[in-house]
């Protein structure tokens, strides 16, 4: 373990700003002298004690609760002191300064914690695995109730338990394969009698089920980016407002009112959808509007889905139809088959008789709300969301990628097993690589630079 991981650390553990309660947290080995220096006496383990917090001159800073958690029964696995005071920024800064000042004599080496360092120590000391550590940040950052509940399941170990079950079954199969390599004359019969093929098939089925839930969890965490595109006055801003349920974008009859993107995150069945309203796509000589149109195409290029909005009231206008066809060609060239483009026909409430015959896609009215439910279902379908989300745990893209690598290695392993005696050493290697991929999720096989990326995204004090 690097030397800086053994330094005692301190930080304010509550969010910046004013509040009823604020917490200063200290973690390290041998906190007893610091506890006595800051609290004026020793504390009973895991028992809240109400007392005054005083500065070095004995002047009161505040009064509050002090809790002492001796190692290893603490969040970090080290001794932990938590001071709960009134949540004023100045009070907490004074309390933190008092801890650091007392640490010079009572706890040499005490320093301010880096972002995420308390959780990093919990991971390094075996209190939580890496997936659980990430779930802490995801629980804090959850933007929907479904995401929060899923993060809570990951934090409790639901995701990790499934990974461990996969790992244990994989280790058993690896033991069989490794044993056959030591006795080559018996290897085919030995693997057949042990039903190695059946075990591998069961592993693949288990992994497939975990991948499905992880993909749903990643969707809850990340959501998808949906860009609304189309000609001016097709109702793009009205559609954004209707989906968001609020007047976010300015709506006027004047073409080109929207000159820059307007973005809002909404949720449908707990899935975050990042909706982006863009400038109307047309040929323009207005310098400002041209910049907005260029930005619209940039947003389209980065979208997970595009809603191509058409105006039902203008389907009989040849110039309008030609412009729509040109946008469609540009979308096809730019996006290809990578990103779905959904044709949405707006203003159904004002469309002339016979206009429906030209509409090949979803019909709706952003003004009345007709068709919005169908559009929401379509967006969930594009995202790959499954309504039966009970039991889903939060996951990250790196987890999904690790599971995909594990799946690819198991496919290769099955091919080598089918080749039997000619490829058992390759089979053993593919199984080892599968275990490594699974280990990346829980942190059993994780590079230090990845740990740095993960924990530096946490808030200070967590």
């Amino acid at each position: 373990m690097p030397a800086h991981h053994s330094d005692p650390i301190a930080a304010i553990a509550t969010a910046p700003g004013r509040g009823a309660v604020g917490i200063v947290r200290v973690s390290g080995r041998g906190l007893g002298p610091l506890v006595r220096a800051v609290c004026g006496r020793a504390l009973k383990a895991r028992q809240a004690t109400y007392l005054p917090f005083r500065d070095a001159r004995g002047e009161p800073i505040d009064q509050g609760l002090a809790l002492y958690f001796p190692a290893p029964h603490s969040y970090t696995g080290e001794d932990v002191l938590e001071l709960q005071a009134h949540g004023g920024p100045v009070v907490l800064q004074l309390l933190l300064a008092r801890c650091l000042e007392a640490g010079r004599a009572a706890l040499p080496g005490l320093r301010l914690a880096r972002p995420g360092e308390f959780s990093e120590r919990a991971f390094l000391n075996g209190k939580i695995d890496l997936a659980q550590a990430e779930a802490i940040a995801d629980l804090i950052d959850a933007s929907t109730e479904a995401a929060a509940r899923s993060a809570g399941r990951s934090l409790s170990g639901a995701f990790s338990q499934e990974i461990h079950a996969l790992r244990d079954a994989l280790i058993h199969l690896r033991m069989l394969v490794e044993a056959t390599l030591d006795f080559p004359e018996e290897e085919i019969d030995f693997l057949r009698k042990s039903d190695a093929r059946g075990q591998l098939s069961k592993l693949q089925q288990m992994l497939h089920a975990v991948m499905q839930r992880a993909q749903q969890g990643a969707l809850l965490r990340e959501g998808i980016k949906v860009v609304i595109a189309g000609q001016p006055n097709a109702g793009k801003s009205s559609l954004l407002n209707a989906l968001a349920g609020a007047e976010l974008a300015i709506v006027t009859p004047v073409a080109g009112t929207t000159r820059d993107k307007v973005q809002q995150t909404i949720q449908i069945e707990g899935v975050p959808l990042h909706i982006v309203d863009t400038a109307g796509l047309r040929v323009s000589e207005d310098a400002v509007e041209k910049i907005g149109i260029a930005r619209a195409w940039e947003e389209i290029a980065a979208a997970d889905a595009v809603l191509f909005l058409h105006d039902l009231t203008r389907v009989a206008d040849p110039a309008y139809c030609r412009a729509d066809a040109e946008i469609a060609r540009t979308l096809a060239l730019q996006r290809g088959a990578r990103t779905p483009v959904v044709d949405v026909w707006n203003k159904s409430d004002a469309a002339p008789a016979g206009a429906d015959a030209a509409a090949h896609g979803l019909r709706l009215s952003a003004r009345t709300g007709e068709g919005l439910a169908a559009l929401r279902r379509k967006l969930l379908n594009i995202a790959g969301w499954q309504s039966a989300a009970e039991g889903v745990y939060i996951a990250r893209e790196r987890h999904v990628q690790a599971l995909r690598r594990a799946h690819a290695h198991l496919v290769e392993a099955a091919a080598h097993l089918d080749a039997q005696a000619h490829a058992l050493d390759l089979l053993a290697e593919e199984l080892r690589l599968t275990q490594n991929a699974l280990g990346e999720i829980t942190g059993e096989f994780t590079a230090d630079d990845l740990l740095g990326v993960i924990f530096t995204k946490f808030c200070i004090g967590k």
Side-chain angles (χ1 to χ4, degrees), residues 9 18 65 104 236 288-289 337 367 417 447:
I9 54 175
R18 298 171 61 191
L65 296 177
R104 295 194 191 104
K236 298 183 297 299
V288 176
E289 188 177 3
R367 187 177 69 84
L417 182 58

Side-chain angles (χ1 to χ4, degrees), residues 196-417:
R197 193 67 182 84
Q199 291 187 44
L200 183 54
S201 296
K202 184 178 179 181
L203 258 174
Q204 289 177 302
Q205 293 170 6
M206 291 170 61
L207 180 60
H208 178 70
V210 173
M211 283 181 65
Q212 284 189 318
R213 284 192 288 275
Q215 287 169 339
Q216 295 293 289
L219 183 59
L220 278 177
R221 181 180 185 272
E222 305 291 346
I224 63 169
K225 180 178 181 179
V226 179
V227 173
I228 305 173
Q231 294 189 59
N233 272 0
K236 298 183 297 299
S237 297
S238 296
L239 180 55
L240 171 66
N241 292 342
L243 287 171
E247 297 296 319
L248 302 173
I250 298 172
V251 177
T252 75
V254 179
T257 297
T258 301
R259 298 196 170 202
D260 201 356
K261 67 177 182 180
V262 180
Q263 181 169 326
Q264 177 69 17
T265 297
I266 66 171
Q267 59 166 301
I268 305 174
E269 293 187 18
V271 178
L273 298 181
H274 312 293
I275 311 293
V276 183
D277 174 28
T278 57
L281 302 176
R282 66 175 177 179
V283 176
S284 174
E285 298 304 319
D286 184 285
V288 176
E289 188 177 3
K290 287 171 70 174
I291 294 173
I293 293 169
R295 290 181 178 178
W297 283 111
E298 290 173 0
E299 293 296 327
I300 290 169
D304 296 309
V306 176
L307 300 182
F308 184 8
L309 201 62
H310 310 275
D311 186 345
L312 271 173
T313 65
R314 289 188 277 174
V315 293
D317 182 345
Y320 176 81
C321 293
R322 284 194 300 272
D324 255 12
E326 181 60 32
I327 293 172
R329 281 192 293 271
T330 306
L331 281 172
L333 289 172
Q334 180 169 326
R335 302 304 302 153
R338 292 177 299 148
T339 301
V341 176
V342 182
D343 288 294
V344 180
W345 295 83
N346 188 28
K347 305 183 184 179
S348 61
D349 59 308
D356 288 355
H360 302 289
L362 288 171
R363 293 175 61 256
L364 58 80
S365 168
R367 187 177 69 84
T368 67
E370 175 197 352
L372 285 181
L375 177 58
R376 292 187 179 101
R377 288 194 298 272
K378 181 69 174 179
L379 289 172
L380 286 178
N381 187 43
I382 290 172
W385 179 247
Q386 299 169 5
S387 296
E390 189 63 34
V392 170
Y393 34 70
I394 207 75
R396 297 188 172 200
E397 184 59 27
R398 78 167 194 92
H399 302 150
V400 175
Q401 293 300 326
L403 289 170
R404 286 174 179 164
R405 288 197 302 275
H407 170 72
H409 289 307
L410 283 186
V411 170
E412 289 295 317
H416 294 315
L417 182 58

Side-chain angles (χ1 to χ4, degrees), residues 115-134:
E117 193 166 5
F118 288 93
S119 294
E120 183 179 19
R121 292 195 178 192
F123 164 70
L124 293 173
N125 291 326
K127 304 297 291 185
I128 53 175
D129 63 31
L130 193 54
Q132 289 174 295
E134 290 170 303

Side-chain angles (χ1 to χ4, degrees), residues 177 180-181 184 187-189 191-192 197 413-428:
V177 174
T180 62
L181 292 175
E187 59 189 14
I188 302 304
D189 288 340
L191 288 177
R192 188 180 298 116
R197 193 67 182 84
H416 294 315
L417 182 58
D418 291 339
Q420 296 186 345
H422 303 293
L424 287 187
D425 53 342
L426 297 177
L427 167 62

